[in-house]
Amino acid sequence: MGQLAERAGVTVKTVRFYSDRGLLPEAARSGGGHRRYGPDALDRLRLIRSLRTLDLPVPDVRRVLDQDDDLEDLVARQLREVTSRLAALRWREAALRLLAESDCTVRERAERLRLIGTVSFPPGTAAIARFWRCWLPARLPARVAAAVVDRAVPALPDAPTPAQVLAFARLQEFVAGPCAVSGPRAGAGLGVPEVHAPGKGYRPAVLYEGLPEAFELAAAELRAGRAPHAGEALDCFAAVHAAALGRRDTADFRRGLHPLLAAETRVDRYWQLTAEIETQPPGPPEPTPGAADNWLRAALGATA
């Protein structure tokens, strides 16, 4: 055992530990009761050390040695766990930096601490997804609803800034309250849009399936810094609303559409926080569907 430990560059205690757990079987015992190992023990011990250096648990090491599990699968699983732990540490670091900012008042620090206490590290977006599934109109086809939720839920950065941590905490608080699609959402400033209300003639599935194209066109205008104006994006937006209402896209239709949309209670706060989360400094904010919708409604008002 001593010779094996010396050749492998480990302690005798380490060799004994792996031997006692069956990872390093002994070949025989000497007359004095000392453990003896075969010629393959050194390579096996080095392999064990390599696997343990990667923080693989002893049961996983045993499965690799016994060829019961594929090393590639175990390494991939371990990599996922390490990636998750690193993300958690980066979010925790950003949260600590947020609390340590020198220009933060005592009251602000207490409020930030309260908000951070509601966030898990690494954070998840399940609550945000539930919020949108609740807010969307009933009987929306599953594939359409899934596409809307996928676009609406922000992509979380792996290495957030303190400001992004604060924005996410505020967004999580925003969506935490009870959600109702039949009336205003208490405390969140979110009402039910006209397109969800019964008796308005809207076919929500047609609307929500068609709006992404209009939003993409408007997003290109926003990235270019152009003010709301008539053009392809607005035409697409108006045509989608007309199709959802079973109407023709005419000048009279657009004049009537603008006040209808303007009367909706907006979710601007949600989209503002989403933009803060998704924007990587020092770059400009990436247009959200909410920003695109605002641009299109402004274009509609300017040309109706």
Side-chain angles (χ1 to χ4, degrees), residues 247-263:
R247 302 269 301 278
R248 291 177 57 242
D249 178 17
T250 64
D252 286 342
F253 171 77
R254 294 193 182 192
R255 280 191 289 272
L257 179 63
H258 179 253
L260 178 67
L261 299 182

Side-chain angles (χ1 to χ4, degrees), residues 20 42 85 100 105 129 143 160 198 208 213 243 249 252-253 258 267 281:
D20 290 345
L42 182 58
R85 289 200 297 269
T105 67
R143 62 177 180 80
Y208 282 103
E213 182 181 357
D249 178 17
D252 286 342
F253 171 77
H258 179 253
V267 287

Side-chain angles (χ1 to χ4, degrees), residues 9-279:
V10 300
T11 64
V12 171
K13 184 178 179 180
T14 297
V15 176
R16 182 177 291 111
F17 175 85
Y18 292 139
S19 295
D20 290 345
R21 279 155 182 76
L23 299 180
L24 195 63
E26 58 191 68
R29 292 268 179 158
S30 68
H34 297 291
R35 305 184 193 196
R36 294 189 179 277
Y37 298 90
D40 61 341
L42 182 58
D43 287 341
R44 187 177 178 91
L45 179 55
R46 286 171 173 163
L47 176 58
I48 293 170
R49 286 191 64 202
S50 296
L51 295 172
R52 291 291 291 149
T53 298
L54 296 173
D55 206 26
L56 261 66
V58 169
D60 287 348
V61 172
R62 178 177 288 110
R63 285 194 288 271
V64 172
L65 294 172
D66 295 341
Q67 297 183 339
D68 291 336
D69 261 335
D70 185 68
L71 175 60
E72 185 177 350
D73 292 339
L74 289 172
V75 168
R77 186 178 68 192
Q78 190 72 0
L79 182 60
R80 288 193 296 270
E81 292 177 2
V82 170
T83 300
S84 178
R85 289 200 297 269
L86 285 174
L89 287 172
R90 293 187 185 107
W91 275 80
R92 188 171 291 118
E93 178 190 21
L96 290 169
R97 292 187 183 281
L98 177 68
L99 295 173
E101 289 180 349
S102 59
D103 60 346
C104 183
T105 67
V106 173
R107 180 175 294 182
E108 287 172 336
R109 187 170 287 109
E111 175 63 9
R112 291 177 180 185
L113 186 59
R114 182 190 68 80
L115 287 169
I116 288 171
T118 67
V119 179
S120 59
F121 298 123
T125 56
I128 301 173
R130 284 195 301 270
F131 165 82
W132 279 102
R133 292 192 188 99
C134 178
W135 185 76
L136 288 170
R139 302 191 189 92
L140 195 65
R143 62 177 180 80
V144 178
V148 173
V149 172
D150 185 60
R151 286 189 295 270
V153 173
L156 304 185
D158 291 329
T161 64
Q164 287 173 315
V165 171
L166 183 59
F168 178 81
R170 286 172 171 163
L171 181 62
Q172 186 158 277
E173 183 178 56
F174 180 91
V175 303
C179 178
V181 295
S182 58
R185 186 171 179 273
L190 176 63
V192 177
E194 294 287 338
V195 298
H196 294 192
K200 297 295 183 178
Y202 265 101
R203 292 179 292 172
V206 175
L207 181 70
Y208 282 103
E209 195 166 23
L211 280 177
E213 182 181 357
F215 289 165
E216 283 299 317
L217 292 169
E221 301 289 346
L222 283 164
R223 292 187 192 100
R226 300 189 185 100
H229 62 87
E232 185 181 8
L234 179 58
D235 290 345
C236 180
F237 183 68
V240 168
H241 277 277
L245 284 165
R247 302 269 301 278
R248 291 177 57 242
D249 178 17
T250 64
D252 286 342
F253 171 77
R254 294 193 182 192
R255 280 191 289 272
L257 179 63
H258 179 253
L260 178 67
L261 299 182
E264 294 180 9
T265 303
R266 308 310 303 166
V267 287
D268 287 339
R269 180 59 173 161
Y270 176 93
W271 293 118
Q272 176 190 344
L273 293 170
T274 297
E276 291 178 22
I277 294 167
E278 293 188 328
T279 298

